[in-house]
């Protein structure tokens, strides 16, 4: 009986340790404006102290002392998924195309490479030339003055 329990426990825990470290790098918003801060999100699937060094990108500054951390865990149908994000503030000095090359991230002795990120930084002056009516679209729905019930179709 003890052998069966140990075998079952090993069968459940062994695949968890065999999963490779997954890392990704994202820019938010995807098309930032020159001179304004944007977020670089480094996301991985392990808890632990990561080791990494952002590569230097000409014309872009990274605020290393302004880091926020986000941890998310979901359990769906018994399957647990963990996501850890480090969010850095960055700024591009000039408009143009920038490429952040991939770099190595190590968590608890396991290493993986991030994806490289290409971003187009826009000029604030160009953005100001676009009329507000072309940038913002809103659709307003006016509800009836009578009481509305859940599931009721409104016309």
């Amino acid at each position: 009986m003890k052998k069966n329990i140990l075998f079952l426990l090993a069968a459940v825990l062994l695949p968890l340790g065999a999963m490779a470290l997954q890392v990704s790098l994202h820019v938010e918003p995807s098309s930032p404006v020159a001179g304004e801060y944007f977020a670089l999100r480094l996301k991985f699937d392990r808890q632990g102290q990561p080791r990494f060094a952002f590569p230097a990108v000409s014309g872009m500054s990274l605020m290393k002392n302004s880091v926020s951390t986000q941890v998310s865990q979901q359990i769906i149908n018994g399957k647990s998924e963990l996501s850890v994000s480090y969010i850095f503030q960055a700024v591009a000095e000039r408009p143009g195309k920038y490429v952040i090359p991939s770099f190595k991230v190590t968590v608890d002795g396991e290493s993986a490479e991030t994806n490289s990120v290409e971003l187009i930084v826009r000029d604030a002056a160009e953005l100001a030339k676009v009329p507000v009516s072309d940038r913002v679209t809103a659709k307003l729905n006016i509800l009836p003055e009578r009481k509305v019930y859940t599931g009721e179709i409104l016309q």
Side-chain angles (χ1 to χ4, degrees):
M1 181 68 172
K2 285 184 181 180
K3 287 183 182 180
N4 289 344
I5 292 174
L6 288 175
F7 176 75
L8 183 61
L9 192 59
V12 170
L13 294 179
L14 222 64
L16 293 178
M19 292 172 56
L21 175 66
Q22 300 289 320
V23 296
S24 63
L25 182 66
H26 301 281
V27 176
E28 300 166 358
S30 60
S31 190
V33 176
E36 293 183 9
Y37 286 99
F38 58 92
L40 285 174
R41 180 183 295 263
L42 177 63
K43 187 176 179 179
F44 47 94
D45 64 350
R46 299 278 157 80
Q47 214 163 7
Q49 188 61 41
R51 290 191 332 245
F52 57 89
F54 272 107
V57 177
S58 178
M60 188 182 298
S61 301
L62 184 69
M63 302 291 291
K64 294 181 181 177
N65 59 351
S66 175
V67 181
S68 59
T69 307
Q70 183 179 26
V71 179
S72 171
Q73 183 171 15
Q74 292 183 334
I75 301 174
I76 301 172
N77 294 333
K79 183 180 177 189
S80 177
E81 291 183 14
L82 179 71
S83 170
V84 180
S85 295
Y86 281 72
I87 304 161
F88 298 86
Q89 296 297 313
V91 65
E93 298 165 6
R94 302 175 298 283
K97 180 178 172 182
Y98 292 84
V99 176
I100 303 171
S102 65
F103 55 93
K104 184 172 138 179
V105 177
T106 303
V107 180
D108 294 335
E110 191 171 351
S111 298
E113 289 278 325
T114 67
N115 53 303
S116 63
V117 174
E118 182 178 299
L119 63 141
I120 306 295
V121 176
R122 298 173 297 160
D123 186 11
E126 277 183 31
L127 190 60
K129 291 178 187 174
V130 177
V132 174
S133 61
D134 291 347
R135 283 189 273 161
V136 178
T137 303
K139 181 178 179 183
L140 300 176
N141 291 324
I142 308 299
L143 295 176
E145 292 181 17
R146 64 181 177 77
K147 188 172 184 177
V148 179
Y149 297 95
T150 304
E152 180 180 2
I153 298 172
L154 301 174
Q155 295 180 2

